[in-house]
Amino acid sequence: MTTAERLTRKDWLDTGLQLLGSEGEKALTIERLCQVTCRTKGSFYHHFKNHDEFINALLEYWQSEYTNRIITTVEQLDNLSDRRRELDRLAAGIDRHIERAIRNWSGVDRRVQLVLKQVDEQRIQYLVGLISEMGQIDEKIALELAIVEYSTFVGLQQLFPNADSHWLEQIFNRFNQMASAYCVALHRKELE
């Protein structure tokens, strides 16, 4: 982007997420944001009243882009197996550095902790719905499987932040195969 181009609110938020992922939450100062974008504080204040408003908008933007948009995209597919594959693909493509930075930041900032808790619950509940649909199993078991699947997702982000997204997608797919086989076996047992 050239200095002649006007930054949008979204540009500032994208820059904030990238800074968060590469340098951590301490880099989210107005000075650092302006330095990275080659803009003045006046440009920043054109879009945000203050730093707190920026942080709140950044957290909302992260939730929107990294959870809501993904769920909306997946839900546009009719077939359950297509939805699972697309969710695996999109989840594997998430910027793990940003996700890790959000999780780390939540340990020192209550508002981040609250947003992260909301996102974690939203993601788990979405998985519960997909798993329930996959196996026609009771919601308690679907919740348990969703927690294990989501814990795998978070754990892989922590253990392998630089992993190839194709490899992660294969791991997610393998989990889905195991969960599906478990659901089929459970369903057979109930029919006996």
Side-chain angles (χ1 to χ4, degrees):
M1 178 170 303
T2 67
T3 55
E5 293 178 42
R6 184 178 193 105
L7 287 185
T8 65
R9 183 177 174 92
K10 181 183 180 310
D11 292 329
W12 283 102
L13 295 171
D14 284 332
T15 299
L17 284 181
Q18 292 310 308
L19 266 177
L20 177 63
S22 62
E23 300 177 26
E25 77 275 1
K26 293 194 185 316
L28 295 177
T29 65
I30 296 170
E31 292 78 15
R32 183 71 179 121
L33 287 160
C34 290
Q35 179 186 37
V36 168
T37 59
C38 300
R39 297 302 191 278
T40 64
K41 288 182 181 181
S43 177
F44 175 88
Y45 287 117
H46 176 74
H47 297 286
F48 306 98
K49 281 190 293 194
N50 54 43
H51 186 259
D52 279 343
E53 183 182 297
F54 172 77
I55 295 300
N56 291 333
L58 184 70
L59 293 170
E60 185 178 300
Y61 183 66
W62 169 72
Q63 181 174 11
S64 174
E65 289 299 301
Y66 280 60
T67 301
N68 300 342
R69 184 181 55 77
I70 290 172
I71 290 171
T72 299
T73 300
V74 170
E75 280 301 302
Q76 291 175 3
L77 301 171
D78 294 328
N79 182 297
L80 176 61
S81 62
D82 290 343
R83 288 199 307 272
R84 290 300 305 203
R85 272 193 302 277
E86 183 66 2
L87 179 62
D88 290 348
R89 186 185 71 75
L90 294 172
I94 282 178
D95 188 322
R96 291 172 294 284
H97 295 96
I98 293 171
E99 290 277 307
R100 285 177 52 162
I102 291 278
R103 214 160 277 288
N104 291 339
W105 190 12
S106 74
V108 296
D109 190 313
R110 179 82 172 132
R111 67 188 154 178
V112 179
Q113 184 181 51
L114 293 173
V115 171
L116 178 61
K117 184 178 188 303
Q118 183 180 19
V119 165
D120 286 343
E121 289 172 0
Q122 182 182 4
R123 290 171 176 178
I124 288 169
Q125 285 307 310
Y126 185 68
L127 287 171
V128 167
L130 289 178
I131 291 168
S132 293
E133 188 177 345
M134 172 182 68
Q136 298 177 352
I137 57 176
D138 111 353
E139 193 167 320
K140 179 181 181 284
I141 293 171
L143 175 61
E144 291 167 353
L145 288 171
I147 289 170
V148 172
E149 181 174 353
Y150 189 65
S151 297
T152 300
F153 168 75
V154 171
L156 287 169
Q157 289 178 336
Q158 298 298 312
L159 292 170
F160 305 101
N162 298 315
D164 176 71
S165 61
H166 181 70
W167 178 77
L168 289 173
E169 190 175 344
Q170 288 177 315
I171 300 277
F172 298 152
N173 184 264
R174 184 73 61 220
F175 177 85
N176 291 331
Q177 290 170 344
M178 291 185 307
S180 181
Y182 175 77
C183 290
V184 167
L186 191 64
H187 188 63
R188 281 188 189 144
K189 185 177 179 182
E190 288 174 357
L191 293 176
E192 293 175 352

